[in-house]
Amino acid sequence: MEDKNLESILDAYKNKSDETWLMNVMNLNMACIESLQKEKAKSKLNSLAVFKKIVIVGGLLYAFLLGFLVYFDHFRHFYFSFSMSMILLITMIAIITLVKHVVMIRQINYSTNITDTQRKLSALQYSTINIFRISWLQMPFWSTWFWTSRWIHSGINFWVTAFPITLLLTLIAIWLYKKISFENKEKKWFKFLMNSPEWNSVAKAKEFVDEIDAFKNDSL
Amino acid sequence: MSPQPDKEEFLKLIQDNKRIIYKICNAYCHNSNDREDLAQEIIYQLWKSAGSFNDGHKFTTWMYRVALNTAISFYRKENKNNPLVSISEHHTNIEDRNDGAKDIEENINLLQQFINELKELDRALMILYLDEKSCGEIAEILGITETNVATKISRIKEKLKQKFLTINNQ
């Protein structure tokens, strides 16, 4: 195909006009723009923020339950209160991170340039992975809440059963916290842990960020 | 909170530039329901962002930014699994035309399909190029350099040419 042939197709495309379906939408909106505003919550583009908000509400209920347990125990059972406090602290860090994300999503301005806006949106989406990493850190505390001083000092039983399990869970939690990243996305353990539709959209968001960076930097 | 513009004035500006919405919806949606949904979403986002419009910029530059950002986000959420319109489907739409018009229509449909097959950002670039925007304006809308715009346009055109060649040789 010669260059001029492609140019003539491009010219024909530029002049093509078939806007009948659009006219219906435009007329509808002329009459109903206020009601469109009221439907803001239904906007498909808000679904990322909506998902995060649902997780925040769930997380707050969970944190409230943990806080309730700690408050009524008054550290009478030290290991129980300490474990629940640590789980509560990690949960609150995750919730605060999510709240920050929702605020940032709301602040995204669609009238800024395409690459910057899309990069911010996708980066917020893939930062969900950080919440997941943080959440693993609470795992060892689920194996310490039933410890008692009497059990610890009563002989070898505690040191050959409970303690090694907690130690193992601590090592696994730290390892996962360090290793859960996009660099390891092809590893089997990673695919096993992240096998969900939510993860797929996070992975695609990361790929899109890489694509945007390549798009911006490629001028050779 | 940004002040909202006069409703009638704003809608008139949108009406005057509705071809932008039309082109973007065609490039990012593959069926009529999605196209109408996206057009509504774009109009809603334009209304929502109206306060950010600065008289120092061209209205179409601002409109392209909002509309393309909306379309890309919409596409990434909704349209990933939708199949593209097949070439045979285009053929059935143009059977009744005479030969000359049929060829032109067929080429335009093929071009639309090839544009729809481009990556999201390349597609945005091509929409702007086909609307005869200058390299400077395209660069401003996309947030890349003018050199980058020129390089990418020539690469995409080469890619389109190869696709036409492949189809013609089949």
Side-chain angles (χ1 to χ4, degrees):
Chain A
M1 173 181 258
E2 289 176 31
D3 284 345
K4 65 178 182 184
N5 288 347
L6 178 65
E7 292 301 333
S8 69
I9 297 170
L10 294 176
D11 284 340
Y13 180 90
K14 286 174 196 171
N15 298 323
K16 192 188 172 199
S17 181
D18 177 19
E19 300 171 8
T20 43
W21 66 268
L22 183 60
M23 280 312 296
N24 298 333
V25 177
M26 295 296 288
N27 288 336
L28 177 69
N29 281 281
M30 291 281 269
C32 310
I33 196 135
E34 282 92 356
S35 69
L36 256 182
Q37 267 190 297
K38 287 175 192 161
E39 286 180 15
K40 184 180 175 183
K42 294 178 190 168
S43 168
K44 286 174 181 169
L45 302 184
N46 282 337
S47 60
L48 176 59
V50 169
F51 172 77
K52 288 186 188 268
K53 280 178 194 166
I54 291 168
V55 177
I56 288 169
V57 171
L60 282 173
L61 288 173
Y62 178 56
F64 180 77
L65 177 69
L66 293 169
F68 178 83
L69 292 172
V70 173
Y71 179 77
F72 281 98
D73 188 62
H74 280 300
F75 271 81
R76 276 193 297 268
H77 305 92
F78 173 77
Y79 291 103
F80 176 81
S81 288
F82 176 75
S83 301
M84 291 301 134
S85 300
M86 291 309 291
I87 293 169
L88 176 62
L89 176 71
I90 293 161
T91 304
M92 288 311 292
I93 292 171
I95 291 172
I96 290 165
T97 312
L98 271 172
V99 170
K100 271 191 203 166
H101 289 175
V102 171
V103 171
M104 287 162 82
I105 289 168
R106 292 179 73 90
Q107 285 173 342
I108 284 178
N109 179 358
Y110 267 44
S111 64
T112 52
N113 73 59
I114 314 300
T115 47
D116 286 353
T117 310
Q118 292 300 320
R119 198 185 189 289
K120 269 186 211 162
L121 270 172
S122 296
L124 278 171
Q125 197 176 356
Y126 86 70
S127 63
T128 306
I129 199 171
N130 292 328
I131 316 282
F132 193 68
R133 287 172 65 217
I134 292 166
S135 300
W136 278 105
L137 290 176
Q138 57 180 274
M139 185 169 65
F141 299 103
W142 284 107
S143 69
T144 57
W145 63 270
F146 46 85
W147 286 8
T148 59
S149 297
R150 206 169 67 181
W151 188 22
I152 292 169
H153 296 109
S154 67
I156 198 156
N157 184 21
F158 169 82
W159 299 99
V160 295
T161 55
F163 183 75
I165 289 172
T166 302
L167 185 65
L168 182 67
L169 291 178
T170 306
L171 293 173
I172 292 172
I174 293 170
W175 187 82
L176 286 172
Y177 178 74
K178 285 185 171 174
K179 294 287 179 180
I180 291 176
S181 78
F182 287 95
E183 287 160 16
N184 291 318
K185 68 176 181 179
E186 295 306 324
K187 303 266 171 67
K188 274 185 184 171
W189 62 266
F190 192 94
K191 285 179 179 171
F192 176 75
L193 281 178
M194 303 291 201
N195 185 19
S196 72
E198 171 62 16
W199 162 249
N200 290 338
S201 65
V202 169
K204 278 175 183 157
K206 170 68 174 135
E207 281 168 20
F208 193 44
V209 167
D210 294 342
E211 198 180 305
I212 291 169
D213 289 343
F215 185 85
K216 281 194 91 152
N217 298 326
D218 171 29
S219 59
L220 298 173
Chain B
M1 180 103 184
S2 309
Q4 288 293 310
D6 176 75
K7 181 186 161 189
E8 293 305 319
E9 196 183 318
F10 171 78
L11 289 175
K12 190 182 176 308
L13 280 170
I14 305 286
Q15 281 281 11
D16 292 347
N17 293 285
K18 64 177 183 285
R19 272 184 65 82
I20 292 177
I21 301 176
Y22 165 76
K23 285 175 191 172
I24 291 174
C25 291
N26 267 355
Y28 286 94
C29 295
H30 311 308
N31 68 58
S32 57
N33 286 341
D34 280 353
R35 274 204 305 258
E36 290 192 9
D37 280 354
L38 176 57
Q40 287 220 10
E41 192 73 51
I42 290 174
I43 293 163
Y44 166 68
Q45 290 294 337
L46 286 167
W47 179 257
K48 197 178 141 194
S49 310
S52 68
F53 174 61
N54 174 346
D55 284 340
H57 287 92
K58 274 175 80 172
F59 180 78
T60 52
T61 303
W62 174 84
M63 187 169 166
Y64 259 121
R65 279 181 169 183
V66 176
L68 281 170
N69 270 321
T70 309
I72 293 171
S73 299
F74 182 95
Y75 173 81
R76 293 186 62 74
K77 282 194 192 308
E78 299 296 317
N79 286 4
K80 274 192 180 301
N81 301 319
N82 286 358
L84 294 169
V85 178
S86 69
I87 293 170
S88 58
E89 213 171 305
H90 286 305
H91 279 287
T92 56
N93 292 338
I94 56 175
E95 269 173 3
D96 298 338
R97 313 282 176 86
N98 63 49
D99 282 352
K102 204 161 124 181
D103 281 350
I104 295 169
E105 193 67 25
E106 191 170 4
N107 281 332
I108 290 174
N109 285 335
L110 278 173
L111 179 62
Q112 181 71 66
Q113 182 179 335
F114 295 154
I115 290 171
N116 289 0
E117 287 169 358
L118 293 170
K119 287 180 176 176
E120 291 99 310
L121 297 171
D122 285 343
R123 216 180 302 174
L125 178 67
M126 213 50 201
I127 292 170
L128 294 165
Y129 170 74
L130 288 168
D131 201 22
E132 297 177 332
K133 297 283 168 204
S134 67
C135 280
E137 205 175 341
I138 296 175
E140 196 186 336
I141 292 167
L142 293 178
I144 57 177
T145 64
E146 287 186 41
T147 322
N148 203 345
V149 170
T151 311
K152 285 186 192 303
I153 287 171
S154 85
R155 272 193 205 154
I156 294 169
K157 280 167 81 174
E158 190 53 43
K159 204 186 281 182
L160 293 174
K161 209 188 322 178
Q162 290 307 319
K163 286 193 172 194
F164 272 110
L165 271 175
T166 312
I167 289 286
N168 289 338
N169 291 338
Q170 276 174 3

